[in-house]
Amino acid sequence: MAENKNPGLLARLFRSSPENPSTSLANPAAWLTGLFGTSKTGVQVSEDNALTFSAVYAAVRIISETIASIPLNVYKADGETRVKAVGHPIQKLLAEQPNSVSSTFTFRECMAANLVLHGNSYAKIEMNGAGRPVSLTPLNPLLVEVKIVDGEKVYIFDKKHTYLDYEVLHFVGLSFNGLTGKSPITVAREAVAIGLAAQEYGARFYSNGANTGGVITSPGRLSLEAINRLKQSWNRANAGLSNTHGTAILEEGMKYEKVGLDPEAAQFLQSRKFQVNEIARIFRIPPSYLADLENSSTRANVEQQSIVFVRDCLQPYVRRMEVELNRKLFREDESNYYAYFTLEGLMRGDQKARYEAYATARQWGWLSVNDIRDLENLNPVEGGDVYLQPLNMVQSGQDNTNVDAD
């Protein structure tokens, strides 16, 4: 028989080499378990099933929905001033209709969710004949490969389509190679796996009627067939929430003895709570945003966490997005145009605190009436662009005895 010159995938995977020492299915090497995303808990972890862990889903949803809600506008810089470029084509693309099937909210939410979960977010840029972007279509990050070819960055989508750098929006998360971001789920695989394992344990616990396992003892010897029949009969009659607190009937001198630790004694609830804080740490999101209010008992503390959320979590994401938008969407003759996320509105406190801050800013001259109205999403008013200056303010060292007190 002719020798097989083309070994299969598994044979090639298990082939011994200096980089890949001898391994087997019974004793897989660390590189192999890492390839398929298996954690030390035995739980398979991927970006997809990580979302079944409620804390991960909540973190991704909160960040992506908030970024999608932040006002995103195009501005034109004119010297030291800036004005909204309301009629600019990119303003319409970003604020109204990025493509034929998505609203601006859905598009930005999708891009932000991919960035947060995968560490990379991609969108194909469609151009018109004038070299103006007219459509932005999200690409599945799992199907995109980034390469350097002849010193140029290229994107290969679904192993079929190759795009040049200027044809793809690429929002990059924390990166160690300057090309692609690292998925937080991959980096924190073990922490996510523990959360998934605890979640599965809880589901199995309740599926068994919220009871731990037990042992049925018989005074006589049972055959294997009798053991299996007894086990099936017991589980059918007593397992599951619908059978909780039911009455068990044992025959022929059999006894049932409960074994195992109570979930509270095993610190099951504490473990789940700790994993929520682990996810909050991974995504740099305040625990109160994941419904953990243990250390957020006061309203002031919750408001402070809101500011931390904007400053430490959201701001790095939106700045990454701004840089890429400004680099790819505007032509070379439009260097004075730029896209900008308005985060200031998220930093404000309650109504009383906002109005007091506005009053101070208005009195000391760094905000006008229209500046304040814009922060409150109100229309400008005539004469509202005037900046005040306190009459009793003079340069340091200058004689102010002649200042008119009226």
Side-chain angles (χ1 to χ4, degrees):
M1 179 181 294
E3 182 182 356
N4 184 2
K5 300 290 186 180
N6 185 25
L9 172 61
L10 283 178
R12 295 197 300 273
L13 284 176
F14 287 109
R15 178 182 296 158
S16 178
S17 70
E19 295 78 18
N20 171 30
S22 179
T23 184
S24 67
L25 285 174
N27 182 32
W31 66 269
L32 183 61
T33 57
L35 177 65
F36 293 105
T38 302
S39 67
K40 290 182 174 63
T41 64
V43 176
Q44 295 281 345
V45 179
S46 67
E47 285 83 358
D48 190 40
N49 76 341
L51 288 174
T52 63
F53 183 21
S54 60
V56 173
Y57 178 80
V60 173
R61 181 180 180 183
I62 289 169
I63 296 173
S64 59
E65 286 183 344
T66 305
I67 290 176
S69 304
I70 300 170
L72 172 60
N73 294 294
V74 173
Y75 290 88
K76 179 181 180 181
D78 185 8
E80 295 183 357
T81 63
R82 69 170 190 174
V83 293
K84 284 184 180 179
V86 179
H88 197 283
I90 301 302
Q91 170 70 23
K92 181 177 181 180
L93 188 68
L94 294 177
E96 297 179 27
Q97 195 69 42
N99 55 60
S100 61
V101 297
S102 303
S103 67
T104 180
F105 186 95
T106 302
F107 170 77
R108 283 198 277 151
E109 181 184 43
C110 174
M111 295 294 287
N114 283 332
L115 175 59
V116 173
L117 188 63
H118 297 275
N120 295 279
S121 186
Y122 307 90
K124 175 68 176 69
I125 304 173
E126 299 289 344
M127 305 275 192
N128 62 15
R132 174 78 69 190
V134 293
S135 178
L136 303 173
T137 305
L139 302 176
N140 185 340
L142 297 178
L143 300 179
V144 178
E145 184 180 4
V146 185
K147 287 186 174 182
I148 298 295
V149 179
D150 296 331
E152 299 290 334
K153 185 191 294 185
V154 297
Y155 296 87
I156 302 172
F157 176 63
D158 200 20
K159 299 183 179 180
K160 301 175 184 177
H161 309 284
T162 300
Y163 303 119
L164 299 178
D165 187 32
Y166 72 88
E167 296 179 295
V168 176
L169 272 180
H170 181 193
F171 301 147
V172 184
L174 180 63
S175 176
F176 298 97
N177 61 9
L179 287 179
T180 56
K182 199 76 172 176
S183 165
I185 301 302
T186 300
V187 175
R189 177 183 299 156
E190 299 302 332
V192 176
I194 292 173
L196 288 170
Q199 184 169 268
E200 182 178 352
Y201 171 83
R204 291 182 182 275
F205 173 73
Y206 284 107
S207 73
N208 288 324
N211 286 301
T212 53
V215 176
I216 299 176
T217 58
S218 171
R221 184 179 180 86
L222 298 177
S223 66
L224 181 60
E225 181 182 356
I227 292 173
N228 290 334
R229 186 170 60 249
L230 176 62
K231 182 178 178 180
Q232 293 174 5
S233 175
W234 175 269
N235 288 337
R236 188 166 51 248
N238 299 286
L241 289 177
S242 61
N243 296 316
T244 303
H245 305 304
T247 301
I249 300 176
L250 296 174
E251 303 180 55
E252 300 180 3
M254 292 184 179
K255 296 181 180 180
Y256 175 77
E257 181 181 357
K258 183 177 178 181
V259 298
L261 295 175
D262 183 86
E264 183 67 21
Q267 297 184 336
F268 166 64
L269 295 179
Q270 289 88 338
S271 175
R272 291 215 67 189
K273 183 179 180 63
F274 177 75
Q275 289 313 117
V276 170
N277 281 276
E278 281 281 84
I279 298 304
R281 182 163 33 247
I282 292 166
F283 290 99
R284 297 183 71 183
I285 188 170
S288 63
Y289 277 61
L290 301 181
D292 180 3
L293 300 176
E294 182 177 350
N295 298 315
S296 305
S297 57
T298 66
R299 181 174 180 180
N301 194 10
V302 172
E303 288 183 359
Q304 184 61 35
Q305 289 192 43
S306 298
I307 295 175
V308 170
F309 172 60
V310 175
R311 184 189 64 205
D312 296 340
C313 179
L314 294 183
Q315 185 165 268
Y317 284 120
V318 301
R319 297 306 175 230
R320 285 185 172 100
M321 298 172 80
E322 285 173 352
V323 169
E324 184 71 352
L325 292 172
N326 295 331
R327 192 168 74 94
K328 300 281 184 71
L329 299 188
F330 297 99
R331 299 184 304 200
E332 291 184 2
D333 60 347
E334 295 178 325
S335 59
N336 58 333
Y337 287 89
Y338 62 94
Y340 180 78
F341 285 89
T342 306
L343 288 170
E344 287 77 7
L346 296 177
M347 300 289 284
R348 60 195 186 190
D350 57 27
Q351 188 178 54
K352 181 176 183 294
R354 293 201 319 274
Y355 285 6
E356 289 176 349
Y358 292 152
T360 301
R362 174 72 172 139
Q363 173 186 343
W364 292 100
W366 65 78
L367 285 182
S368 68
V369 169
N370 284 340
D371 291 335
I372 297 171
R373 293 180 65 85
D374 183 56
L375 290 173
E376 290 292 318
N377 199 29
L378 298 173
N379 293 327
V381 296
E382 186 176 353
D385 294 320
V386 176
Y387 292 87
L388 302 180
Q389 178 179 340
L391 291 176
N392 61 343
M393 298 292 291
V394 296
Q395 283 185 318
S396 177
Q398 182 176 333
D399 184 9
N400 65 349
T401 55
N402 295 323
V403 174
D404 186 358
D406 296 333

